[in-house]
Amino acid sequence: MTQFIQLENISVAELTIKYLELEGVTHVFGIPGGYISPFLEILREHPTIKFIISRHEEGAAFMADGYARMTGKLGVVFTTAGPGATNALTGIACAKVDHSPLMLIVGQPSTAISGYGAWQDSSYSGVNICEIFRHVCSFSEVVVDANNFPSLFARALRAAHGSPKQTVHISLPMNISTSKIAKIDFPLEQNYVFSKEYLDYSSNAETIDNIFHIINHSKNPIVLVGAGCTEAFRKSSVLALFSYFVTRHKIPVMTTPKAKGLFPETHQFSLGVFGLGGSLHSDLYLQQNPPDTVIVLGSSLNEWASQQWDQKLRPSKTMIQVDIDATHIGRVYPVHYGLLCDIEIFIHRLIEIDKKNISIFSSASRNENHLALFKKETSKFLNVDKMHSKNIPLKPQRVFCELSHFAKNKEISFFLDIGNSTGFFSHYAQLGLSNLLYSSYGFTCMGWSSGAAIGAKLASIDATCIAIMGDGAFLMNGIEIQTAARYKVGVIYMVMFDDSYGMVNHGMNAISKHVYAETDYYSLGSPDLIQFSESLGADGYLIDKPDQLSDHLTLACKKAAEFKKPQVLIVKIDPNEQAPFSTRYKALQKIIAETTN
Ligand SMILES: Cc1ncc(C[n+]2csc(CCOP(=O)(O)OP(=O)(O)O)c2C)c(N)n1
């Protein structure tokens, strides 16, 4: 039972920080500005919460997002009004789409001058921040009376920690932040708990029973594991139950790109990643063995996850979708069983039913040798020869193959950015259970990993955090390595240097009649990224020979841990190598052909 103490004469700013303490928040992120000064003064001396000052508010939001994804705790961003808040918008949008619990706290001009054209006026007559964030947050309010603050703040918190997790925004005019609340009952601990059982909307055990029997009687079922399984599958006990079930019932498993590695890619029933940049195994298996039942666990089936809403994923008989987000269910393919249920609970229930039906085992007709033979006879990868190429500049296929070897059995968290490297990583890197993947597949935003890796590393200071990104994305937000240097955060950046916006260049080349790839239209102009990185306080490494990668990665990991200094590896890759995105390019070609003919 929660106990309360009575606080008297406490300012809204002080109370805000006390609520964040209760949340167990250790780091908050942002850029200072006059209107948030009441908070900054408290944070300056705070014993447990550190204010990390980034170089751009977008970077701060990415950091808070990385912090939230690593810990499951609330990520908090403080900005000033107007441009401070709008700079954070893209970062908040990334978190929203990927269901990361983020709170944006914006300082505003005092209520008495609201609408008078104060600096960074965010009122109804200025650039209306509250309205802007209503579109990217499930809660967006301005507090206009200090006594109303505790109630509004509690609502924002509960929304952020809801199911699924949400982004929230609360604006505090400066006179409200400094106003005192005469008396308030303050909880001594977090006074709300989200019970998992609450997420078992099924309560209708019959549905899971039906699902079990459908799976059991299917000739060719297949499971697609999405990132909604992350919390459940990172518990070894839940993963073991799921592995037991699919092994006993001989069901092949694919993951979405974002869920890569959640189900071990080395498992006998794994087909690897399905979706854009996915493995040849998953794509060919579906082509050659059209499923009668597809079980989608925790995936929105967006463009990445469904490989552009591929019809091969549509079963001949039964589509089953289990998710805690009702809006995902039936969004793309017609669904015969849509179950609003927590994945962990679903797996436990399925296993209970399985145990009761241990003697009814009709799935024996499914032939496990068939899958083993298929995997033996078919390549999982495109261009296998390039995975071992000694060419200079390096073949990206080789780079990601080397990276897998390096990461094997090492506890490494990868932060994957957007560009060609997303596809190369998804296709060629093989993740083991000790490797965790974080990505911004949802909003597909360049530059996300540069901040997210810093926030995550601050949350878990002994973790090895490696951001994988293209040179364009690095130039967009790489400035945040200076934030890492300033706060002694030993985060590692692996930058694929092709001196181009490669994904766009190849995409345009693939869909256009013009040969853009031969021009320097999308070139970056040969920036010296080693000098750039070193000038911002990082150690820089140039990797221009294939056998250097492993040694340099080892050294970078050592120095990151020992000297708590950011490390930047610039990997010179062959700019002409196409990432495995042909499905997307073909779809774009089709749109152009249909609309221009
Ligand atoms: C913020 C943002 N702007 C633009 C894009 C469109 N976009 C997707 S990939 C890409 C090029 C990425 O270039 P780079 O980071 O150098 O990676 P590469 O594809 O060369 O590996 C662009 C511009 C995006 N995803 N996000």
Side-chain angles (χ1 to χ4, degrees):
M1 193 176 84
T2 305
Q3 304 292 326
F4 289 82
I5 49 165
Q6 202 169 65
L7 298 177
E8 290 180 6
N9 222 15
I10 182 165
S11 76
V12 165
E14 285 170 306
L15 196 55
T16 307
I17 304 299
K18 283 191 94 48
Y19 281 130
L20 296 182
E21 276 172 34
L22 266 193
E23 289 292 307
V25 168
T26 54
H27 295 80
V28 295
F29 305 87
I31 292 205
Y35 299 133
I36 45 167
S37 55
F39 300 94
L40 305 184
E41 282 312 298
I42 301 167
L43 288 168
R44 180 194 282 269
E45 305 295 341
H46 200 280
T48 60
I49 303 179
K50 190 162 180 172
F51 182 47
I52 302 292
I53 302 177
S54 63
R55 294 295 164 263
H56 192 288
E57 286 89 348
E58 186 184 39
F62 290 157
M63 288 175 207
D65 188 2
Y67 178 91
R69 292 190 203 210
M70 192 70 150
T71 57
K73 289 185 197 170
L74 187 72
V76 182
V77 185
F78 279 96
T79 72
T80 195
T86 52
N87 268 355
L89 183 71
T90 303
I92 304 290
C94 274
K96 178 202 165 68
V97 180
D98 280 335
H99 292 310
S100 194
L102 233 68
M103 177 181 277
L104 171 67
I105 299 176
V106 179
Q108 297 283 5
S110 292
T111 47
I113 54 165
S114 177
Y116 282 20
W119 280 15
Q120 302 153 349
D121 188 351
S122 307
S123 69
Y124 282 89
S125 56
V127 172
N128 193 327
I129 292 298
C130 205
E131 284 302 321
I132 289 174
F133 279 92
R134 236 163 233 158
H135 297 272
V136 287
C137 292
S138 63
F139 175 98
S140 180
E141 295 291 341
V142 189
V143 183
V144 289
D145 184 324
N147 291 312
N148 193 219
F149 168 75
S151 160
L152 285 175
F153 195 81
R155 272 176 53 196
L157 264 183
R158 280 157 178 67
H161 287 307
S163 176
K165 310 262 188 226
Q166 304 287 347
T167 47
V168 296
H169 153 245
I170 189 158
S171 262
L172 291 154
M174 203 163 158
N175 62 317
I176 301 291
S177 307
T178 50
S179 287
K180 303 248 174 174
I181 299 176
K183 264 190 194 139
I184 177 162
D185 289 326
F186 186 77
L188 288 175
E189 59 194 11
Q190 241 181 9
N191 58 346
Y192 57 93
V193 173
F194 281 99
S195 152
K196 284 234 170 230
E197 293 298 324
Y198 156 81
L199 299 174
D200 179 13
Y201 299 93
S202 67
S203 59
N204 176 7
E206 214 182 301
T207 310
I208 305 188
D209 208 57
N210 287 343
I211 289 176
F212 171 82
H213 287 290
I214 290 206
I215 295 173
N216 208 28
H217 289 106
S218 299
K219 273 187 85 169
N220 199 15
I222 198 158
V223 178
L224 180 66
V225 169
C229 296
T230 306
E231 205 183 315
F233 279 40
R234 285 196 182 159
K235 289 184 186 161
S236 51
S237 57
V238 179
L239 181 61
L241 288 177
F242 177 76
S243 300
Y244 160 79
F245 184 82
V246 295
T247 307
R248 177 169 126 70
H249 291 272
K250 301 171 188 165
I251 308 173
V253 179
M254 318 180 288
T255 71
T256 63
K258 195 175 163 193
K260 183 177 171 68
L262 272 186
F263 183 72
E265 298 193 279
T266 47
H267 193 284
Q268 67 175 121
F269 282 97
S270 167
L271 287 168
V273 171
F274 177 78
L276 296 183
S279 80
L280 287 183
H281 275 170
S282 61
D283 195 50
L284 284 174
Y285 186 86
L286 277 179
Q287 209 171 303
Q288 294 171 13
N289 307 272
D292 52 350
T293 300
V294 172
I295 306 121
V296 179
L297 302 179
S299 171
S300 66
L301 295 173
N302 65 17
E303 182 174 359
W304 287 98
S306 62
Q307 187 159 263
Q308 282 237 324
W309 313 286
D310 195 326
Q311 288 305 303
K312 290 200 292 294
L313 205 56
R314 197 170 165 175
S316 59
K317 286 194 178 145
T318 320
M319 176 61 111
I320 298 164
Q321 220 181 327
V322 185
D323 212 295
I324 55 164
D325 188 337
T327 66
H328 289 170
I329 296 176
R331 183 170 76 160
V332 178
Y333 304 94
V335 162
H336 303 92
Y337 284 94
L339 188 66
L340 204 53
C341 182
D342 177 77
I343 299 295
E344 185 178 344
I345 290 176
F346 174 73
I347 288 168
H348 280 296
R349 297 269 152 96
L350 204 60
I351 293 287
E352 279 165 25
I353 298 169
D354 194 35
K355 278 186 185 151
K356 283 189 208 142
N357 290 279
I358 203 90
S359 55
I360 312 169
F361 192 46
S362 56
S363 57
S365 59
R366 292 198 283 269
N367 185 351
E368 67 194 287
N369 294 333
H370 172 65
L371 182 64
L373 200 66
F374 167 84
K375 288 196 345 181
K376 205 171 154 204
E377 288 178 348
T378 332
S379 169
K380 187 173 184 181
F381 307 106
L382 289 157
N383 299 316
V384 175
D385 52 323
K386 292 182 180 166
M387 294 167 74
H388 312 286
S389 163
K390 293 191 167 102
N391 279 19
I392 294 172
L394 281 75
K395 295 287 176 195
Q397 296 86 345
R398 164 106 195 240
V399 172
F400 288 98
C401 187
E402 291 278 328
L403 185 66
S404 302
H405 292 311
F406 175 79
K408 199 169 178 188
N409 299 327
K410 292 193 184 78
E411 298 213 344
I412 297 180
S413 295
F414 290 107
F415 294 81
L416 184 59
D417 217 283
I418 294 301
N420 276 342
S421 45
T422 323
F424 284 125
F425 183 94
S426 199
H427 193 81
Y428 291 103
Q430 298 299 291
L431 301 189
L433 286 177
S434 60
N435 309 143
L436 303 180
L437 173 64
Y438 299 89
S439 64
S440 74
Y441 277 110
F443 205 43
T444 316
C445 179
M446 279 167 73
W448 172 87
S449 68
S450 62
I454 298 174
K457 175 88 180 155
L458 279 163
S460 179
I461 207 70
D462 293 327
T464 301
C465 296
I466 304 184
I468 311 269
M469 59 205 310
D471 41 11
F474 186 64
L475 283 169
M476 201 178 264
N477 289 91
I479 192 77
E480 297 302 349
I481 58 180
Q482 210 242 328
T483 311
R486 152 102 175 74
Y487 292 102
K488 300 197 185 320
V489 187
V491 69
I492 299 161
Y493 295 87
M494 206 172 129
V495 181
M496 301 296 124
F497 187 86
D498 60 0
D499 196 18
S500 164
Y501 289 119
M503 185 182 186
V504 176
N505 192 19
H506 293 161
M508 290 306 293
N509 189 34
I511 65 177
S512 160
K513 295 183 187 82
H514 308 287
V515 191
Y516 284 113
E518 287 181 6
T519 75
D520 69 349
Y521 194 62
Y522 296 109
S523 153
L524 297 175
S526 308
D528 186 336
L529 296 185
I530 298 275
Q531 265 193 34
F532 170 74
S533 307
E534 288 178 346
S535 75
L536 296 174
D539 289 329
Y541 307 76
L542 179 67
I543 295 170
D544 53 6
K545 295 186 192 69
D547 51 6
Q548 291 172 327
L549 186 67
S550 179
D551 287 350
H552 282 16
L553 267 171
T554 307
L555 185 62
C557 287
K558 191 169 170 285
K559 285 174 83 176
E562 218 168 291
F563 303 113
K564 302 187 184 343
K565 198 175 173 194
Q567 309 288 310
V568 180
L569 289 86
I570 306 294
V571 189
K572 274 201 164 174
I573 54 160
D574 184 342
N576 295 315
E577 282 305 324
Q578 292 237 1
F581 287 137
S582 60
T583 320
R584 179 169 162 85
Y585 297 156
K586 275 186 204 143
L588 293 175
Q589 262 168 354
K590 194 164 163 252
I591 295 171
I592 291 174
E594 281 168 2
T595 49
T596 52
N597 283 340

